[in-house]
Amino acid sequence: MPYDHSLLSDIMATGHGFGKVILFGEHFVVYGKPTIASGISKKTVAVLKPGISPGFHITDNRPAAEGYIAKYVKSQTRSVRLMNEAVWHLNFDETPVEVELGGDLYCASGVGASAACCVAMARAVSEHFKLNLSEEDISLCGLEGDKAYAGTPSGIDNTCSTYGGLIYFRKNLKGGDNTMERMKLGRPLDILMVSTGITTRTEEAVAGVRERKKKFPDEYEKLFDMAGEIVERAKEMLAEGNLTEVGGLMNANHELLQKIGVSHEKLDYLVGLTRRNGALGSKMTGGGLGGYMVALFPDENTCENAAKVCEAEGYKVIRARIG
Ligand code: MEV
C-alpha cells in the first residue's frame, strides 16, 4: 500500500541512541552466559528531514576514530535495509529522506557505536513517519540493524543503547524473551573508557571465538562457566557497593578474555596503565582486538588523574559515572 504522505512530519525529526560499556561478560553472552552492561550518557544523534532525491541518504558527522566511518559505510547502508525489512516497511524512493548523524559519542569499536547509530536513526524515522514505535520496537531495530555490523549480536548493545542505565542481561538461546533486569548499585561507579584507536570488526572477533571454541570445547566450556560465575558474583558486589571486589572481578574477566583470544597488546597496555594509576580493576570492553577498554576507580579524582595520564599519552578517553 502506498504511504500516505499527509502523515509525514514536515519539520526535522530527531532521535538518539546511547553508547554503552560492558562491565562483565562480553563474548560469553553470545552463548547464553549473563552480562552486565550500561548505557552511557554520550550518544549518537540522528537528524532527519525530507530528501530531494530518491533513497535514504546519510551524512555521517559523528566524531570517530580514524578510519572508523569509512570502514563501516557498507554496514551502515545494510543496517538501514535490515531495519526497514524487519520493522519500518517504508519505501524511501517514494518518500526520500536525508539523515545527518552527529552527537557526542566518540565512535570507535567497543562503545556500542553501531547499535547507537541504528537506534538513533530508528527513533528519527519513527518520529518522521509517525510510526509510533514502542521502546521494544526501537530496541528491535537496533538488534536487526546491528546484524550488519556484528553478524549475530546477542542483544546487549541495542538494549543498552535504547534503555540506558545499568542492566543485567542474558540472551535466551531458545529464542524466547531475553532476561533483562535493571540493576541496583550500592555505590555509583566512576569509570574511564580508553580507546586504543584501533578499529575492529565485532563480527570477526565473535567468529574467532566460535572457531576456537569448536577446536577446544572442554577448555572453553570451563572458561565460559567461570565467566558466568564472575558475572553473578559481580552482580552481588555491585549491589553491596563493594567496589574493591568488583575491580578484582573485572581483572579476572579480562584474563578470561585474553584466554579466548580477543584482547590486544594495546588493550593489555592500557589495562596495566590504568591499574598503575589507581584503578580498582580494568578490562577490555566490547568485541576487543582493539577498540575500548574500561577501568573502575574508587572516586572521581583518581579517575580524572588516570584520564589525564592516558590523554597525555595521546589516547581518547570517555569519563562516565554510572548510577
Ligand atoms: C559487542 O559489544 C559484545 C559482544 O559480546 C558481541 C555481542 O554481544 O553481540 C562481543
Side-chain angles (χ1 to χ4, degrees), residues 202-213 220 260-262:
T202 304
E203 196 169 9
E204 278 163 23
V206 171
V209 174
R210 192 180 306 121
E211 225 170 77
R212 292 186 288 278
K213 192 172 181 291
Y220 269 59
I260 63 166
V262 290

Side-chain angles (χ1 to χ4, degrees), residues 72-87:
Y72 285 118
V73 168
K74 279 193 186 143
S75 302
Q76 193 177 57
T77 306
R78 212 176 135 234
S79 75
V80 169
R81 208 181 65 231
L82 291 174
M83 290 191 280
N84 196 29
E85 281 168 9
V87 184

Side-chain angles (χ1 to χ4, degrees), residues 20 22 25-30 150 152-157 202 206 286-287:
K20 67 100 192 7
I22 298 187
E26 52 274 269
H27 283 288
F28 307 104
V29 64
V30 174
T152 52
S154 63
I156 184 58
D157 286 18
T202 304
V206 171

